[in-house]
Amino acid sequence: MNEILKRVKKYVIPSEKIQKQKDTIVEQTINLVKKETIKYSQITGIEVVGSYAKGTWLPKKADIDIFIKFRTDTTEKDFVTNGKSVGFAALKQFKPYVRYAEHPFVEAEIGDTKVNVVPCYDVQEGAWKSSADRSPFHTKFMIKSLTEIMKNEVRLLKAFLKANDIYGAEIAKQGFSGYVAEVLILNFGSFENVLKEISQLKSGQVIGKTSIQLDTKIIIIDPIDENRNLGAAISKENIGKFVLASRAFLRNPSISFFVPRKKKARMNTKNVLVLSFKYKARSPDIIWGQIKRSATSLATQMNQAGFFVLKRSATISDDNIASLLFLLQSTKLDLLQTRFGPEFFVSEHVEKFIAANKKKSLTMWINDDGNVCSLQERKNTDAKKFLKLLVQNNIEKSGVPVGLKSEIRKCKITTAGAVKGKSIKEAVIELVSTDESFFPSK
């Protein structure tokens, strides 16, 4: 393992040349932002935060985060408006654009480096007014707490998470953030120790110190806020992938765990339905939240109709096309179905079952287990037709969020074999493929 990790460190630790290039961009950007902030009395200063400031950034992916600190009595309107004004004015020569978190912020690309100018409030620790307010405190804490050796261990962990496609806190990914990687290294000391701990993870295990009761699959306490569970934003699937990847690497260390892997589908995609629709541009977190809730609700409706949804996912493309993907056990169902009722001993429940099902029944009987049964014709035997009727005619009962109903009504539903577009095809492959690092065939 040591030899593998030595090789990986050559790629995850920035060279002096890359470090100098990044330093130059930071100095340039700080001067541009400072020049604009002096025009606003509400701004108390600026601060470089994030992985660059902490020394945990990766050479191929290192955003520069410059936070503009506003007085706490600044109105919400001025906070948003002036934050954007400073960002656009400072980065005007680099074609800036707006991105969204809890509040909008300005981003631009200087060479191969993304620079973010983000507003936050100049608060006391713990007196947060916006979600961005913690970042300067996170940065100060990690600068003080992480040794140089530990910073490079963070880099190893980040590279591992990225290669295994479980890195990123955004709603689209629901993975492990850079800050979570730092917290894990701080708690366990090294990359190897983190993998050993995660490989033996118990449901509901607490990492860190807190005095409150929390209930998620993994509980990772924010070192500067014992009431904040960083694990709450991580999906069960990504926690599971981390556990399996950790076990697999410890069992058979390989550099392949640090390299993104192309996935291949080993099964036919004929049972994958794809629902696609055009949506109006909005914050990535908002649209991802809406389409993920829609996928969950529509899958529930299909399950209730007898179409067993094995897996679901979603993707969006650059031209504002959202796609929901459903892997079904079968897209066609038998015309006849059996509904199983209570045992004949339970008089009240039997009477209710008979009353509710008699008109729809082709026949009723008592089976060998003593249950009253009803044979009925299904209303829907074709999953594609059922899904189309649901979103176009019964949208109010579908569970689709209000903000998406008018757009999803105009959807196109097809099987996976007929889809076009790189992002959708990749999402289909992801849905039906097996990562053999986690689930080896031998």
Side-chain angles (χ1 to χ4, degrees):
M1 182 189 297
N2 288 338
E3 285 303 314
I4 296 290
L5 299 183
K6 281 181 183 178
R7 287 174 61 191
V8 175
K9 282 181 181 178
K10 291 179 181 178
Y11 300 100
V12 301
I13 299 174
S15 66
E16 286 188 20
K17 180 181 178 181
I18 294 175
Q19 181 72 55
K20 286 179 181 178
Q21 290 173 344
K22 204 68 67 173
D23 292 344
T24 299
I25 292 172
V26 172
E27 185 178 352
Q28 176 188 11
T29 310
I30 286 174
N31 291 334
L32 291 172
V33 175
K34 276 184 177 178
K35 185 179 177 181
E36 297 303 323
T37 57
I38 60 175
K39 301 174 184 177
Y40 299 88
S41 60
Q42 302 148 314
I43 296 175
T44 62
I46 67 172
E47 193 167 328
V48 181
V49 305
S51 62
Y52 169 82
K54 300 170 195 171
T56 61
W57 56 283
L58 295 174
K60 291 185 178 180
K61 182 73 171 70
D63 296 352
I64 304 300
D65 300 311
I66 298 180
F67 275 42
I68 314 166
K69 303 173 83 169
F70 283 82
R71 288 205 323 255
T72 55
D73 60 357
T74 305
T75 65
E76 177 84 4
K77 181 180 178 181
D78 285 347
F79 180 78
V80 171
T81 302
N82 295 342
K84 288 194 293 186
S85 295
V86 169
F88 273 107
L91 302 176
K92 60 186 176 183
Q93 61 184 299
F94 305 109
K95 299 180 181 179
Y97 47 90
V98 176
R99 288 195 62 196
Y100 295 88
E102 179 184 354
H103 294 96
F105 63 95
V106 177
E107 184 175 272
E109 295 183 21
I110 302 179
D112 61 353
T113 300
K114 286 184 179 179
V115 175
N116 302 313
V117 178
V118 183
C120 72
Y121 289 101
D122 190 1
V123 298
Q124 295 295 313
E125 185 171 338
W128 324 115
K129 286 194 68 175
S130 77
S131 58
D133 298 346
R134 290 185 179 88
S135 291
F137 294 91
H138 286 161
T139 300
K140 289 187 181 77
F141 178 82
M142 286 300 173
I143 289 173
K144 178 182 68 176
S145 304
L146 293 174
T147 65
E148 290 303 313
I149 291 175
M150 292 169 78
K151 290 175 185 178
N152 290 333
E153 296 295 303
V154 171
R155 289 178 162 123
L156 282 174
L157 181 54
K158 285 185 177 182
F160 185 85
L161 295 170
K162 281 177 179 289
N164 289 285
D165 199 27
I166 52 176
Y167 183 82
E170 63 275 13
I171 291 176
K173 178 61 65 179
Q174 291 182 284
F176 295 80
S177 68
Y179 182 57
V180 167
E182 292 162 356
V183 172
L184 291 174
I185 293 295
L186 188 62
N187 274 276
F188 301 123
S190 71
F191 170 76
E192 184 178 351
N193 287 346
V194 169
L195 264 56
K196 286 179 178 177
E197 292 291 333
I198 294 298
S199 70
Q200 302 174 57
L201 188 73
K202 300 292 187 282
S203 181
Q205 185 171 330
V206 179
I207 299 172
K209 296 180 180 179
T210 183
S211 57
I212 63 172
Q213 289 292 112
L214 296 162
D215 184 23
T216 55
K217 288 295 180 183
I218 186 172
I219 299 165
I220 305 171
I221 303 302
D222 188 336
I224 68 163
D225 184 352
E226 70 161 20
N227 295 321
R228 184 174 182 233
N229 175 16
L230 301 169
I234 305 170
S235 72
K236 292 177 185 176
E237 180 183 10
N238 285 328
I239 295 168
K241 285 182 177 180
F242 193 15
V243 171
L244 295 187
S246 297
R247 290 174 185 168
F249 179 80
L250 292 171
R251 185 169 56 246
N252 186 21
S254 168
I255 203 163
S256 65
F257 285 90
F258 295 91
V259 180
R261 298 177 291 279
K262 285 188 177 182
K263 296 182 180 179
K264 295 181 180 179
R266 291 194 295 179
M267 64 173 286
N268 196 302
T269 60
K270 65 180 181 179
N271 285 358
V272 177
L273 287 185
V274 181
L275 182 156
S276 299
F277 60 94
K278 186 91 173 178
Y279 65 90
K280 293 179 182 177
R282 63 196 77 170
S283 159
D285 278 355
I286 291 176
I287 185 62
W288 272 107
Q290 290 175 330
I291 64 175
K292 285 197 168 191
R293 288 197 298 275
S294 296
T296 300
S297 296
L298 294 176
T300 299
Q301 294 291 327
M302 283 191 280
N303 282 330
Q304 290 174 353
F307 301 101
F308 188 33
V309 180
L310 302 170
K311 288 178 70 180
R312 65 182 183 275
S313 66
T315 186
I316 60 175
S317 57
D318 293 337
D319 54 355
N320 289 358
I321 299 291
S323 297
L324 312 183
L325 297 88
F326 304 95
L327 173 60
L328 307 179
Q329 186 163 295
S330 176
T331 59
K332 307 284 185 183
L333 298 177
D334 292 333
L335 177 62
L336 300 181
Q337 64 173 332
T338 303
R339 292 192 178 276
F340 295 91
E343 282 190 292
F344 61 80
F345 295 108
V346 191
S347 174
E348 182 182 350
H349 292 167
V350 168
E351 295 303 320
K352 286 182 179 179
F353 180 81
I354 293 172
N357 291 280
K358 188 166 181 58
K359 288 184 180 180
K360 296 177 284 187
S361 294
L362 300 174
T363 182
M364 299 186 83
W365 73 100
I366 297 170
N367 69 6
D368 291 344
D369 294 322
N371 296 93
V372 179
C373 300
S374 166
L375 185 68
Q376 302 176 12
E377 286 189 357
R378 295 182 190 274
K379 287 184 179 179
N380 303 285
T381 60
D382 185 292
K384 184 177 175 182
K385 290 180 180 178
F386 171 77
L387 189 55
K388 187 174 183 179
L389 285 170
L390 180 61
V391 297
Q392 293 185 348
N393 298 344
N394 292 305
I395 193 71
E396 299 305 323
K397 298 179 181 179
S398 68
V400 170
V402 173
L404 209 61
K405 285 180 178 177
S406 62
E407 295 164 317
I408 204 169
R409 270 198 179 109
K410 301 171 184 176
C411 70
K412 178 182 178 182
I413 302 172
T414 184
T415 54
V419 299
K420 297 179 180 179
K422 183 180 178 182
S423 64
I424 302 178
K425 289 180 178 179
E426 288 176 348
V428 170
I429 291 173
E430 176 70 25
L431 188 70
V432 301
S433 64
T434 299
D435 191 324
E436 297 200 0
S437 296
F438 304 162
F439 306 100
S441 55
K442 294 182 181 181

